[in-house]
Amino acid sequence: MEKRDAATHSIGLRRRERTPPATAWALTSGNGGDPQHLHRGMTLIATISLFIGTRAAWTRAMLLHPPVAGVISLCYAGILVCAVLALAVRGRQALVRVDAAVLVLAVILVVCGYWLSHIGTDEGVLTEQAASEIARGHAIYGQPWPWLFGTPNSGLTKTMSGSADYTYGYPPLTALLAAPVHALLDTPAAATMVTMGALIVGTVALWLLLPAPWRSAATAVCLGFGILPGYARSGYPSIVALALLMPVVVRWPDIGAGARLGRGGALRAVCLGAACAAQQLAWFVAPFLLIGLYAVRRGELGARPAAAVLARFTGVAALTWAAVNAYFALQGFSAWLHGLLLPLNQKAILHGQGLMGISYYFTAGSSRLDYYSYASELLLAGLLAATLLFVRRLGPALTVLPWLSFYLATRSQDGYFLMMTPLWLAAAATVPSSVLAHAWQPGIPHLTGRPAKAALAVALLVPALLCTAIAASSAPPLRMTLAPRITGRSHPSVTSVTIRASNATGTALTPHFASRLGQGASNWWNITAGPTTLAPHSTAVYVVRPETGHRTLPTARNEHMYLIAVTGTPMTISTAPIDIPAQPLGR
């Protein structure tokens, strides 16, 4: 026996000696070897994310503000030190201190970036003007401010009716917060100061609320990657809404636990109402959260107590929203309501990376663009229904689901998708699927098994997909033949286009013309000849000219310019290429 034990021990030693290095590392790492291993990785990723955009900021600072460049140079040293410490320190508390140092560095770099650029773009200048009007006691809704859009940084939202929006179209909270800043400091950067401050405060709050291993992820997502600081420097009110939603989303299933809303729950309801009073994107998150909250509380308490908790939470949020909006609604209810709903019903010109690009970029157009909007609305309704029916599975993704509907909308730009990404992180870190295991789900007779539930989930999405197919497959309403007038040889430009347009539909159309080079449309071209309205199944000749008198044509072979014709009611678009002749006309 002793010899056999000795032999077995010897074989075991030899096997351990032959264990490959990678296998030995796997056996000694992970939960048993280094409990902070994933934490270290998260800290290191956040540290690396601080490099993004830092060189560009340093280069700009060396030209305009050398002291700021000096601060950024010191931050480079701090980033390197934090990277070493993230891999070298021992103990959880030491690693948390490194996380805090990374957060401080991120805040310093963001402040340096703001110092270099803080004027704001279209949403920022509108909010700044609204803050100025509030400080002087003037109305902010229904007031056109066209002079704000004369600079390159101030993008103009054109509408399919051939006009543009020059009015304030956001809830008033961000402008309200910027008004005292504007009055005290007399600065045109009051709005961007508020949005940048909101981003920093919101990031610090999220950092404190998350479990320690996830904190550096908040630093990376909110500040390190550079996306959200860019929106904050531009003065986007959605940044304020994001900051207010962070404490609401973190551990949202805890709201109303034990049938008691409590001070913490009431405060989170206030934050939700204030977020909805800051920017419309918060409106899309709220119903998903309320459905999830009701399901969790009903699973714990039953139907009636859960409804009571939800009513108290929703009531506090609604009162907060009403308190912020009351003054402006009393100033002019119709103008206030129109301003709040403007982004939803303004029929802005197509833009974005979603499926509407099929009709805008890849085909000659569509006579049924409205069906993209129908698809977006139906998808949102379907996702809400799916969340109610399958909250145990979809509950952890409540903060991601709202943005799927934007992919089918006529305005599907990436800002709608990425602006609220910190909320995805907050839910992933604090709402595991286990906390939803006992959430209530409505029982559906004869619906058992995964195949039946999957079929129901797909059925909820089918109407949206059908509407998208209708919009994408519809032919353009106008058949256009173009005869452009082009001048110049070295730098050819189009000075006018003669269009023979045939209305192939049974609806009278009022077309508006613009050019498109790449993804963005130009300002509207002037119609110098041709009818305002083109009758059904009729043909007319139009002559259109660029707003500035000429439009420079691309010279690269792989670049193309198109003429687009759009209508607002119904929403349609027709596209035709502007062909460049081999020998440009004129001089």
Side-chain angles (χ1 to χ4, degrees):
M1 289 293 293
E2 292 180 358
K3 292 181 178 179
R4 184 180 299 175
D5 292 343
T8 302
H9 180 68
S10 177
I11 292 172
L13 286 176
R14 288 196 296 270
R15 286 178 177 173
R16 283 195 291 271
E17 290 171 357
R18 291 197 301 267
T19 301
T23 305
W25 176 87
L27 292 172
T28 57
S29 64
N31 293 335
D34 185 0
Q36 286 87 37
H37 188 70
L38 292 178
H39 188 170
R40 293 179 190 278
M42 201 75 77
T43 304
L44 189 63
I45 290 173
T47 306
I48 294 171
S49 75
L50 300 187
F51 284 120
I52 298 175
T54 303
R55 181 181 178 183
W58 178 84
T59 303
R60 181 177 172 83
M62 282 300 300
L63 180 65
L64 302 176
H65 302 282
V68 176
V71 173
I72 295 175
S73 294
L74 292 176
C75 287
Y76 269 106
I79 294 170
L80 297 173
V81 171
C82 284
V84 172
L85 294 176
L87 299 174
V89 299
R90 296 181 180 179
R92 179 179 177 181
Q93 291 302 318
L95 200 52
V96 169
R97 295 189 191 98
V98 178
D99 289 334
V102 174
L103 175 63
V104 170
L105 282 173
V107 171
I108 293 173
L109 287 171
V110 165
V111 171
C112 288
Y114 178 78
W115 186 272
L116 296 172
S117 175
H118 51 261
I119 299 302
T121 55
D122 51 348
E123 294 193 18
V125 296
L126 278 170
T127 304
E128 175 63 32
Q129 183 65 32
S132 174
E133 298 296 329
I134 291 173
R136 291 183 290 180
H138 298 165
I140 64 173
Y141 291 106
Q143 311 299 317
W145 301 319
W147 62 87
L148 298 177
F149 300 91
T151 62
N153 290 332
S154 301
L156 182 63
T157 300
K158 297 178 286 295
T159 64
M160 299 288 282
S161 60
S163 59
D165 269 326
Y166 301 102
T167 59
Y168 189 68
Y170 310 99
L173 181 59
T174 307
L176 270 175
L177 296 174
V181 178
H182 179 87
L184 290 174
L185 301 181
D186 192 23
T187 171
T192 59
M193 290 177 67
V194 168
T195 52
M196 181 56 71
L199 178 62
I200 293 173
V201 172
T203 302
V204 173
L206 183 61
W207 191 94
L208 294 172
L209 291 170
L210 291 182
W214 290 83
R215 288 175 172 172
S216 278
T219 302
V221 171
C222 294
L223 304 178
F225 293 148
I227 299 172
L228 294 181
Y231 284 107
R233 288 193 300 270
S234 298
Y236 276 55
S238 51
I239 295 296
V240 176
L242 168 65
L244 290 165
L245 286 172
M246 287 177 181
V248 183
V249 169
V250 172
R251 299 182 184 87
W252 63 261
D254 294 344
I255 298 173
R260 295 184 67 256
L261 191 59
R263 183 177 300 175
L267 182 59
R268 293 163 91 170
V270 169
C271 288
L272 178 60
C276 292
Q279 215 269 351
Q280 290 90 341
L281 286 180
W283 299 0
F284 293 86
V285 182
F288 286 90
L289 283 173
L290 295 178
I291 288 174
L293 180 59
Y294 175 75
V296 172
R297 292 286 73 84
R298 180 165 176 174
E300 175 199 8
L301 306 169
R304 185 170 296 179
V309 170
L310 186 69
R312 291 198 298 272
F313 181 79
T314 307
V316 173
L319 286 174
T320 303
W321 180 86
V324 175
N325 284 275
Y327 170 75
F328 303 95
L330 292 174
Q331 266 190 328
F333 183 83
S334 179
W336 164 78
L337 184 62
H338 177 75
L340 261 60
L341 298 179
L342 185 62
L344 305 179
N345 58 23
Q346 68 185 158
K347 295 188 175 182
I349 194 169
L350 305 181
H351 180 64
Q353 295 77 34
L355 290 183
M356 62 90 218
I358 296 173
S359 301
Y360 193 26
Y361 305 124
F362 301 114
T363 69
S366 172
S367 59
R368 296 180 177 178
L369 292 179
D370 288 302
Y371 278 81
Y372 283 119
S373 298
Y374 303 153
S376 179
E377 295 164 4
L378 289 170
L379 180 58
L380 182 63
L383 291 172
L384 286 169
T387 301
L388 178 64
L389 295 173
F390 310 111
V391 69
R392 295 173 189 171
R393 176 60 63 89
L394 297 179
L398 286 184
T399 54
V400 184
L401 291 173
W403 319 119
L404 296 178
S405 62
F406 283 94
Y407 194 73
L408 305 186
T410 54
R411 296 282 286 187
S412 58
Q413 55 196 24
D414 58 352
Y416 297 137
F417 310 136
L418 60 86
M419 199 82 74
M420 298 290 167
T421 46
L423 303 183
W424 307 4
L425 173 68
T430 62
V431 188
S433 58
S434 58
V435 303
L436 302 170
H438 301 289
W440 171 80
Q441 292 185 163
I444 303 177
H446 311 297
L447 183 67
T448 57
R450 290 185 178 180
K453 293 180 179 178
L456 176 59
V458 171
L460 293 172
L461 307 181
V462 166
L465 297 179
L466 288 177
C467 287
T468 301
I470 291 172
S473 61
S474 295
L478 298 181
R479 298 189 182 96
M480 299 190 297
T481 303
L482 309 185
R485 178 174 177 78
I486 298 173
T487 61
R489 293 183 180 274
S490 58
H491 300 286
S493 297
V494 57
T495 57
S496 68
V497 177
T498 301
I499 309 165
R500 182 180 175 83
S502 299
N503 184 354
T505 72
T507 304
L509 300 175
T510 303
H512 308 279
F513 300 92
S515 60
R516 177 175 68 80
L517 179 62
Q519 58 86 28
S522 69
N523 290 335
W524 299 117
W525 288 30
N526 299 317
I527 300 175
T528 59
T532 301
T533 301
L534 187 59
H537 304 294
S538 64
T539 300
V541 175
Y542 290 87
V543 177
V544 296
R545 300 181 185 277
E547 182 189 43
T548 57
H550 66 91
R551 181 75 168 165
T552 302
L553 292 168
T555 55
R557 290 184 178 181
N558 58 342
E559 293 182 351
H560 304 280
M561 180 179 287
Y562 300 89
L563 187 79
I564 62 172
V566 304
T567 62
T569 306
M571 283 183 65
T572 71
I573 185 169
S574 305
T575 304
I578 299 177
D579 296 324
I580 305 174
Q583 296 295 327
L585 303 175
R587 295 181 179 180

